[in-house]
């Protein structure tokens, strides 16, 4: 039987024209979001993927040890999360949560 190895949250973003550098700096592995996530116990990493066929389209993958770790982070850092979200308003023209997935071992 396979067990859960980690929890992955995947988002797709279309970056607003002229904001690619800001987006990559804020949403990348050492960006503002990753810095906030590092405050939470159980955070593993953030990956930023650029679409090779669609200009200004990116995926982010935020990895946590478990869903429970992510849920505890959301409760503990809700105000900071919302503040950062407001601060970065307009950098992405659109965002869509693709889903949350558990890696199986």
């Amino acid at each position: 039987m396979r067990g859960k190895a980690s929890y992955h949250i995947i988002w797709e973003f279309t970056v607003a024209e002229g904001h690619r550098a800001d987006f990559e700096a804020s949403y990348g592995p050492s960006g503002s979001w990753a810095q906030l996530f590092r405050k939470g116990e159980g955070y593993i990493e953030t990956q930023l993927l650029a679409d090779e066929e669609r200009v200004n389209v990116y995926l982010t993958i935020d990895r946590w040890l478990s869903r429970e770790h992510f849920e505890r982070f959301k409760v503990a850092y809700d105000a900071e999360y919302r503040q950062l979200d407001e601060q970065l308003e307009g950098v992405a023209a659109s965002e869509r949560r693709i889903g949350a997935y558990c890696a199986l071992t």
Side-chain angles (χ1 to χ4, degrees):
M1 175 142 185
R2 298 184 295 179
K4 295 178 185 176
S6 59
Y7 184 67
H8 303 238
I9 304 159
I10 304 173
W11 288 84
E12 179 184 72
F13 296 89
T14 301
V15 176
E17 202 61 46
H19 288 280
R20 286 180 72 173
D22 292 337
F23 179 85
E24 290 176 7
S26 298
Y27 289 78
S30 57
S32 306
W33 284 111
Q35 290 174 31
L36 175 59
F37 295 155
R38 280 189 194 99
K39 294 180 179 183
E41 181 182 342
Y43 170 72
I44 299 170
E45 70 176 342
T46 293
Q47 294 179 309
L48 179 61
L49 307 173
D51 193 311
E52 296 238 329
E53 297 174 357
R54 298 178 294 163
V55 177
N56 292 344
V57 175
Y58 292 82
L59 293 180
T60 61
I61 304 172
D62 301 315
R63 293 184 57 221
W64 294 81
L65 288 176
S66 69
R67 180 179 183 165
E68 293 75 22
H69 282 96
F70 176 68
E71 295 296 333
R72 286 195 299 266
F73 163 81
K74 284 190 342 186
V75 170
Y77 295 96
D78 180 63
E80 289 179 62
Y81 187 101
R82 286 193 276 144
Q83 181 181 21
L84 183 56
D85 196 42
E86 286 179 27
Q87 178 185 338
L88 294 172
E89 184 71 31
V91 172
S94 68
E95 61 183 69
R96 178 175 68 94
R97 186 175 186 262
I98 292 175
Y101 302 84
C102 289
L104 303 175
T105 58

